[in-house]
Amino acid sequence: MLTSAVATPSRGAATRPTARRAIRCMEGISLWLAFLLMLASHSMMAEAMEGSVQPEGTGAFHFVDSAGQWQGPATLLTTDYRVTVSGLIADTRLRQSFENTSQQWREGVFVFPLPENASVYALTMTAGERVIVGEIKERAEAKRQYERAKKEGRRAARVDQQRPNLFTTRLANIPPGETVSVELHYQQAVRYQSGEFELRLPTTLTPRYMPGAPVAEEPKQWQGGWATPTTQVADADKISPFTVLPEDVGPDSHRAKVELVINAGLPVATVTSPTHGLTSTWNGDAVTVTPDEGDILMDRDLVVRWAPVRGQEPSAAVFHEQWQGEDYLLALLVPGLARDRQLPRELIFVIDTSGSMAGQSIRQARASLLRGLDTLGPGDRFNVIQFNSQTSTLYQQAVPADSYNLDQARRYVRNLAANGGTEMASALDVALRQGSTEQGEENATGYVRQVVFMTDGAVGNEAALFDRIRQQLGNSRLFTVGIGSAPNMHFMREAARYGRGTYTAINLGDVSGPLDELFGKMQSPVLTDIRAQWPDQQAASESFPGRTGDLFKGEPMVQVTRGRAARGELAVSGRLPDGSRWQQSLDLKQAAPGKGLHRYWARQKIDSLLDTGLSAQVDEATRRDVTTLALDHQLMTRYTSFVALDKTPVRDTGTALETDHLPTLLPAGSQPAMLRYPQTATISPLLIALGLLGVMFSTAALMVHRRVFA
């Protein structure tokens, strides 16, 4: 039986040796593949580790090209702010120094923020002993001249405005191992409210959300920004600089020196900052202010506040300047509202829960909203709206502010988390549309409708949003609250202006103070129907803002005008909540000398002209008017740029020129997920290598498993 069994094997027994040989053959091939993977991954690991582990003490940020080859270290950047405050105008000299530490010729490109109300009026380029004074040109002409100089090997600098608070510096032909500096001069109005002056210096920006569909495929080559143009943000690639951590740029880069000299025109009692420690030195009425830490890291705004000596708060002030034969006047007038009267309110809270708010920002926003809920009285009503990629409301419509609804709202707010995109338009639609459908209800019911919009403003389609606010505001007042260490203050200020409200910035570790002030204002009586009558009608027609918005407690009316010499009186009047009239006059003969008032006036005039083109293209006549004003007053706008050109070539045109897009620092308190590294300058080789190693070990483990359990 046994022999018979051997002589006549079954079909399965006959095929088993063949199957085993096939398995062993596959195992051999797998081992060879694993060995080859190990060799490949070892090479990639070495390359990746070479880039990810920086030499001790350098910490330089490197770029790689599309082929994965490491390029030289990035250009180092240092900045120097020198600010002089005279009355209500702050004049700043900002020096940006670009140090080329590589062995190649470089073009440095740096996207940076300025104050939302900055007027850039001068540019100088310094390279060694060479000092080149820049000129204001129409933007297309400035670009043409810069590109020509760059191609010819001459040093050149150009600064363009991307947004009123976002600019780009380009510096061509920086020699290997040398430093070239660009010096900008700009002025801004100092903010004054509730007895305190404030100046804000932004040093970085929060990555902005770009709504709309991409207009082209993802670029395969290195590009200037992390975003690509979309149907709603055509210049997305120009306003999206890469954001990195401080250790990525090294200890000598992205640091700023700051010195502030305050000549407020009245004795200063205190100087404080919610963002940095400060050292203040008094010399008579002038105060020199510097940060305690010396050079500051450019990862957050620097905010400086100063208060007059008690009893010296200005109730009125007027400044005068004569420039090229014309007179300019700037008036500040603080209404003395002594009678408090609280009106029932409909308070709509809108909170941004998009991904850019992750980390400290969403915690600040939640705390801010909870604080706002605490200010509601039994006669008020409210609602809460959140938005990210979608918009949702806590209630279908505003509900009474009773204890049950408030407790429910607090639980809802505490559970809010940040995630997704920043589709702000739909949130504005929901918040404002409800108010616009109730035209006249404010007068009928006595409710004052107020919308509090809490966001970092990290969007690229600001103009379209401003137009939405203007179209749908109705009876509402829009108050913006800037969240984070580097909010988009241009959005905050302009959205509040179109919304007839005010704007407030919340800084890291300083939530309660600004919010208490904001909510205190919102509860206080407002001055509406404000009218300013200048003694000269010609001057009145050239006054800005043309129509002053509502004023809240502690806020001044500021107006600038172009006209004849200061004489006569400025009369200001308004309506109090109880219907009575308020009026005050200001003697223009008491005007103090002012500096730069003509630029401030021209900036206001340009803004008023551009207001007409929020949702559509600006017509040719407006474009010409803006360009003429900008050229006359030496101001940078969306149609004009500064350019500085050297006459002598320094680079042989046969030598290559690399373009280096300098990154900005991730705002302090932001989540690491918001980092935006260059597409090819990541640790992807390391990740790929780790992935291959994983495949190899999985294969080996599978083979061992088969041998043990077969």
Side-chain angles (χ1 to χ4, degrees):
M1 291 295 293
L2 179 60
T3 304
S4 173
V6 173
T8 56
S10 66
R11 182 180 178 88
T15 59
R16 191 171 297 136
T18 302
R20 286 177 177 171
R21 283 197 296 271
I23 291 172
R24 286 174 180 172
C25 181
M26 291 298 295
E27 288 176 345
I29 293 173
S30 299
L31 284 172
W32 272 107
L33 286 175
F35 181 69
L36 292 174
L37 282 173
M38 183 181 68
L39 292 178
S41 61
H42 180 270
S43 173
M44 298 183 72
M45 283 282 288
E47 180 184 356
M49 294 305 292
E50 181 184 353
S52 60
V53 179
Q54 306 294 340
E56 185 176 350
T58 59
F61 184 71
H62 288 70
F63 294 109
V64 295
D65 59 18
S66 57
Q69 299 298 314
W70 290 103
Q71 297 181 338
T75 306
L76 303 183
L77 167 75
T78 55
T79 63
D80 188 348
Y81 295 86
R82 290 289 183 271
V83 187
T84 302
V85 177
S86 302
L88 292 177
I89 300 293
D91 194 285
T92 301
R93 186 219 65 189
L94 168 59
R95 176 179 294 162
Q96 299 170 334
S97 297
F98 299 85
E99 180 186 356
N100 181 3
T101 61
S102 73
Q103 299 303 311
Q104 293 83 34
W105 287 79
R106 291 281 189 176
E107 177 194 30
V109 181
F110 182 51
V111 180
F112 62 99
L114 286 181
E116 72 281 0
N117 57 349
S119 298
V120 180
Y121 65 88
L123 165 70
T124 303
M125 176 177 65
T126 302
E129 300 296 323
R130 301 280 294 165
V131 179
I132 313 296
V133 178
E135 297 180 52
I136 188 81
K137 302 281 185 184
E138 288 194 44
R139 185 161 177 157
E141 175 63 16
K143 180 179 180 181
R144 188 189 67 77
Q145 293 188 8
Y146 174 85
E147 292 298 331
R148 180 178 176 183
K150 172 184 163 184
K151 185 178 179 181
E152 293 175 350
R154 292 182 285 141
R155 291 191 185 94
R158 178 176 122 229
V159 179
D160 298 323
Q161 174 185 306
Q162 309 298 348
R163 295 288 188 276
N165 65 338
L166 199 59
F167 296 77
T168 300
T169 293
R170 296 175 185 274
L171 197 56
N173 294 309
I174 310 174
E178 292 193 16
T179 298
V180 180
S181 299
V182 172
E183 201 168 278
L184 292 173
H185 287 260
Y186 67 85
Q187 70 175 43
Q188 66 187 110
V190 173
R191 193 177 187 190
Y192 174 78
Q193 57 180 355
S194 303
E196 200 171 52
F197 297 88
E198 180 181 287
L199 188 72
R200 174 180 288 265
L201 294 179
T203 65
T204 190
L205 61 147
T206 302
R208 302 183 180 196
Y209 176 71
M210 310 297 177
V215 296
E217 292 184 357
E218 290 280 336
K220 297 177 181 177
Q221 299 293 326
W222 161 265
Q223 57 170 336
W226 54 263
T228 56
T230 73
T231 51
Q232 295 187 39
V233 189
D235 62 349
D237 56 326
K238 295 181 176 60
I239 61 171
S240 56
F242 295 101
T243 52
V244 298
L245 296 172
E247 52 265 34
D248 293 321
V249 296
D252 299 326
S253 192
H254 291 69
R255 267 65 176 172
K257 294 181 184 296
V258 179
E259 182 182 278
L260 201 72
V261 178
I262 301 172
N263 291 296
L266 41 75
V268 174
T270 59
V271 179
T272 59
S273 171
T275 59
H276 296 74
L278 299 178
T279 298
S280 303
T281 306
W282 270 256
N283 182 12
D285 287 343
V287 187
T288 301
V289 182
T290 55
D292 287 341
E293 60 190 283
D295 295 356
I296 60 173
L297 198 60
M298 296 172 64
D299 67 344
R300 70 193 69 188
D301 295 356
L302 168 63
V303 179
V304 181
R305 296 171 181 157
W306 58 96
V309 171
R310 191 175 180 83
Q312 297 287 328
E313 295 86 352
S315 59
V318 60
F319 300 88
H320 172 249
E321 179 189 39
Q322 191 171 65
W323 183 79
Q324 294 190 352
E326 290 188 301
D327 292 281
Y328 296 84
L329 290 164
L330 185 146
L332 174 147
L333 200 151
V334 184
L337 303 177
R339 292 169 291 180
D340 287 347
R341 178 188 175 191
Q342 295 189 5
L343 299 174
R345 299 176 297 159
E346 180 175 291
L347 202 50
I348 308 299
F349 297 97
V350 185
I351 182 170
D352 181 351
T353 55
S354 64
S356 66
M357 294 282 290
Q360 181 73 10
S361 294
I362 190 63
R363 291 192 288 274
Q364 283 187 331
R366 285 195 300 254
S368 302
L369 209 162
L370 291 170
R371 210 170 185 90
L373 291 173
D374 291 341
T375 68
L376 290 168
D380 298 332
R381 57 189 189 189
F382 75 103
N383 201 353
V384 179
I385 299 171
Q386 69 155 318
F387 71 94
N388 40 57
S389 299
Q390 305 290 330
T391 295
S392 60
T393 62
L394 175 58
Y395 302 110
Q396 289 294 322
Q397 57 186 8
V399 297
D402 56 34
S403 58
Y404 176 81
N405 290 331
L406 286 173
D407 287 344
Q408 190 176 45
R410 291 186 181 101
R411 288 194 297 273
Y412 176 79
V413 171
R414 290 190 184 103
N415 289 324
L416 292 176
N419 193 16
T422 315
E423 293 295 341
M424 196 177 287
S426 58
L428 283 169
D429 289 347
V430 172
L432 298 179
R433 191 177 297 151
Q434 291 179 0
S436 65
T437 59
E438 299 170 356
Q439 294 284 347
E441 188 181 358
E442 176 179 328
N443 292 334
T445 64
Y447 279 96
V448 175
R449 194 168 196 276
Q450 299 174 332
V451 178
V452 181
F453 207 90
M454 302 173 180
T455 177
D456 57 13
V459 292
N461 60 333
E462 296 100 321
L465 298 173
F466 298 152
D467 189 54
R468 247 183 169 88
I469 294 169
R470 190 174 61 172
Q471 297 291 336
Q472 301 184 117
L473 186 65
N475 289 326
S476 302
R477 305 288 191 274
L478 179 65
F479 300 80
T480 55
V481 178
I483 302 291
S485 53
N488 180 357
M489 292 307 295
H490 165 59
F491 174 82
M492 303 302 161
R493 188 185 73 139
E494 292 300 287
R497 184 166 71 87
Y498 288 110
R500 295 186 297 166
T502 65
Y503 65 99
T504 301
I506 305 299
N507 304 291
L508 292 176
D510 183 33
V511 173
S512 58
L515 281 180
D516 288 346
E517 187 174 307
L518 170 66
F519 292 126
K521 285 180 186 174
M522 294 171 63
Q523 289 176 298
S524 300
V526 295
L527 188 67
T528 60
D529 191 24
I530 300 170
R531 299 175 185 178
Q533 186 171 3
W534 293 84
D536 186 281
Q537 290 303 315
Q538 181 182 351
S541 65
E542 294 287 89
S543 300
F544 298 99
R547 179 177 179 269
T548 303
D550 298 345
L551 293 184
F552 297 85
K553 186 177 181 180
E555 286 195 332
M557 186 210 78
V558 178
Q559 199 167 50
V560 64
T561 188
R562 181 174 71 174
R564 291 183 291 182
R567 56 175 176 266
E569 290 187 340
L570 167 64
V572 181
S573 62
R575 182 170 60 86
L576 295 170
D578 61 4
S580 62
R581 297 294 298 179
W582 172 91
Q583 183 168 341
Q584 189 167 341
S585 298
L586 183 62
D587 187 357
L588 301 180
K589 293 179 181 177
Q590 298 180 2
K595 184 180 178 182
L597 300 188
H598 72 95
R599 292 193 198 95
Y600 182 75
W601 175 87
R603 182 85 261 170
Q604 304 302 310
K605 173 84 173 178
I606 288 170
D607 289 346
S608 71
L609 290 170
L610 294 176
D611 280 352
T612 60
L614 282 179
S615 59
Q617 294 292 325
V618 174
D619 60 51
E620 188 56 34
T622 301
R623 181 189 176 99
R624 279 200 305 271
D625 290 344
V626 170
T627 303
T628 301
L629 271 169
L631 295 176
D632 288 346
H633 292 267
Q634 300 284 291
L635 289 176
M636 193 185 305
T637 66
R638 66 170 77 169
Y639 307 124
T640 55
S641 298
F642 273 101
V643 62
L645 307 167
D646 202 349
K647 294 181 179 177
T648 307
V650 292
R651 177 180 59 87
D652 185 281
T653 53
T655 304
L657 177 69
E658 303 286 346
T659 297
D660 190 353
H661 295 263
L662 277 72
T664 59
L665 295 187
L666 184 70
S670 301
Q671 291 288 85
M674 290 174 61
L675 286 168
R676 297 287 190 276
Y677 283 97
Q679 284 183 329
T680 55
T682 65
I683 57 173
S684 56
L686 176 62
L687 297 177
I688 293 173
L690 291 174
L692 291 175
L693 281 175
V695 172
M696 183 185 73
F697 284 117
S698 298
T699 303
L702 178 62
M703 288 189 293
V704 170
H705 181 273
R706 289 177 61 87
R707 285 183 178 277
V708 171
F709 296 101

